């Protein structure tokens, strides 16, 4: 399995889960095969498109505060293409909003498309009651940097 592959035609059953074979850089990462219902950029935080017949494996970039994270993209997926997204482990460059974050901060979706931001009490509640993924910052990053290394649990 190539976690960076992008398929114009479905090559695996949607929802296929695997360990990321890049064990040096991504030890114990878990990836899942999905379809991009809209265009996805590298590093986007992703949510399930609940209007798609492919739910829960039809994904779109997050677009509002307090959405439940379903994964983070390692590669760009054009609309209606297929590929793997990370659902557990380390992601070296998740897209983030302009907020500064500190190592260990819990992150959540933001109003910026595909971007994570510091979780507030509302987004923390969404994480607690939803079945989504937890995301924590692994670095301290200032507000001028647009990506952050994260751990997905």
């Amino acid at each position: 399995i190539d976690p960076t592959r992008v398929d114009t035609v479905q090559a695996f059953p949607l929802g296929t889960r695997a360990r990321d074979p890049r064990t040096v850089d991504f030890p114990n990462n878990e990836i899942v095969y999905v379809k991009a219902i809209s265009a996805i950029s590298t590093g986007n935080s992703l949510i399930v498109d609940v209007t798609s017949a492919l739910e829960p494996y039809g994904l779109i970039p997050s677009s509002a505060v307090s959405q439940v994270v379903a994964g983070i993209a390692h590669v760009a997926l054009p609309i209606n293409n297929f590929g793997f997204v990370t659902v557990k482990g380390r992601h070296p460059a998740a897209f983030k909003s302009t907020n500064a974050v500190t190592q260990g901060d819990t992150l959540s979706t933001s109003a910026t498309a595909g971007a994570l931001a510091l979780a507030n009490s509302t987004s923390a509640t969404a994480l607690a009651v939803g079945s989504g993924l937890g995301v924590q910052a692994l670095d301290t990053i200032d507000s001028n940097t647009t990506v952050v290394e994260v751990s997905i649990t």
Side-chain angles (χ1 to χ4, degrees):
I1 290 182
D2 176 4
T4 63
R5 72 182 291 143
V6 176
D7 299 316
T8 57
V9 176
Q10 185 176 334
F12 298 95
L14 291 176
T16 296
R17 289 182 177 266
R19 282 236 187 256
D20 191 318
R22 301 170 294 173
T23 56
V24 172
D25 294 325
F26 306 102
N28 301 314
N29 273 22
E30 186 175 336
I31 54 177
V32 66
Y33 195 70
V34 301
K35 182 175 183 177
I37 302 303
S38 64
I40 293 171
S41 297
T42 302
N44 275 172
S45 60
L46 306 172
I47 60 169
V48 173
D49 181 351
V50 296
T51 66
S52 170
L54 300 176
E55 179 185 5
Y57 303 115
L59 301 184
I60 58 177
S62 61
S63 57
V65 174
S66 301
Q67 293 177 314
V68 178
V69 176
I72 299 181
H74 263 285
V75 295
L77 294 174
I79 188 170
N80 293 324
N81 279 222
F82 302 85
F84 288 95
V85 300
T86 300
V87 295
K88 182 179 179 185
R90 183 178 77 78
H91 191 290
F95 182 52
K96 75 167 193 62
S97 68
T98 57
N99 307 58
V101 298
T102 301
Q103 182 179 15
D105 281 348
T106 298
L107 305 178
S108 182
T109 59
S110 72
T112 303
L116 297 167
L118 187 62
N120 59 32
S121 60
T122 303
S123 54
T125 301
L127 290 171
V129 298
S131 58
L133 306 173
V135 183
Q136 287 77 38
L138 293 177
D139 294 323
T140 297
I141 302 293
D142 66 27
S143 60
N144 297 317
T145 305
T146 59
V147 297
V148 62
E149 185 173 9
V150 297
S151 174
I152 309 163
T153 55

